[in-house]
Amino acid sequence: MRKLFLTLAIFLASFLEAQGQTPSYQGKTVRIIVGYLSGDTHDLWARAYARSMGKHLPGKPDVLVQNMPGAGSMIAANYVYNVAKPDGLTLGSIAPGLYLAQMIGNKEVKFDWAKFTWIGSPEQNGSLLFMRSDAPYKSLEDIRKAAEPPKCSATGVGTSGHLIPTLLEETLGLKFQLVTGYPGGAEQDLALERGEVHCRAITIAAFFARQPFINWHKSGFVRILIQTSRKRNPKIPDVATLFELMEKQKIPDSNRRLANVALGSGGFGAWPIVSTPGLSPEHTKLLREAYAKTLEEPEFREEAKKRGWELKPTRGEELETLAQEVTEQPPEVIARLKKLLGK
């Protein structure tokens, strides 16, 4: 009998220890803070996660989306980093290039990019720059020769809309007039349709993932002038890459290095998912696994296929390493970035 009690005690202790090591989400709600307006591609991905991710967490919690737009998702990033508790109940969908704002000392930045808890990303992709077809800028050479530069829209520093035109100015000698401060993608769509701006840079994945871009492309309302991937994307095989043009024009190595650092955001994909700093290893493991399983679900993959989303997932561990790499740069690179981004 004594042995039986001892065995039961050991079993109970082991059970309680295991329970303590595996956080339960039962009766709780996980929020995905989206740094863009409802209907933006970040928002569409987040809502797709919300429909499936809860079933892959212990206790099967509800998963809700909360939009927190502003400053190119800077507001959302600051919130996740500083306000949300490190309890595994808050995720963030933010711009992949926000680390650039940190590197140049932007005062709006209230986070350390490398200290976010990195959950995962659904894809890795480059960006493109498109122009209204009826604008007088039919090619990059037209932009170079123009007396008045084309107007490109952007939400803020660290977004594709801001980074790509400024990088093209620095590397290829093109000129653009940036119109910033738009709350999100929908406002930029309207600005282009109304003729307030001529152009916009956006990730390739986002361009082929939602309207009105899909119809704009099919109808010829816009034309794509350049892409930033190292290799031509199969969806736009006739569009030259920045790296091809830098090679063709014999651009100095210093400018090529600058492009490599500035375009490092492509490694995070268009829609990286983060959580708060200081998250426990147990919560981190659970969230990363749940996110990965969500991307593998047949229902999720079917929705992705219908929406034209490419799934080439990147694990949170890989993003964590990349976040360290891109933010650890020598002073001369930081100085070039400050010049590039107008600081």
Side-chain angles (χ1 to χ4, degrees), residues 91-109:
L91 301 175
S93 178
I94 58 178
L98 284 180
Y99 71 90
L100 295 169
Q102 174 185 328
M103 292 175 71
I104 65 173
N106 189 319
K107 293 181 179 179
E108 293 180 356
V109 173

Side-chain angles (χ1 to χ4, degrees), residues 22 43 47 53 60 83 102 110 117 125 136 143 163-164 167 178 200 209 214 222 225 229 238 251 271 293 310:
T22 305
D43 177 76
R47 293 183 188 280
M53 193 169 172
K60 295 179 171 54
V83 180
Q102 174 185 328
K110 306 299 180 185
T117 299
N125 221 318
I143 297 175
L163 173 63
I164 302 307
L167 184 61
L178 283 174
R200 180 180 172 189
I214 297 170
V222 299
L225 298 183
S229 307
D238 298 328
I251 300 300
W271 309 287
K293 289 177 181 177
E310 292 187 64

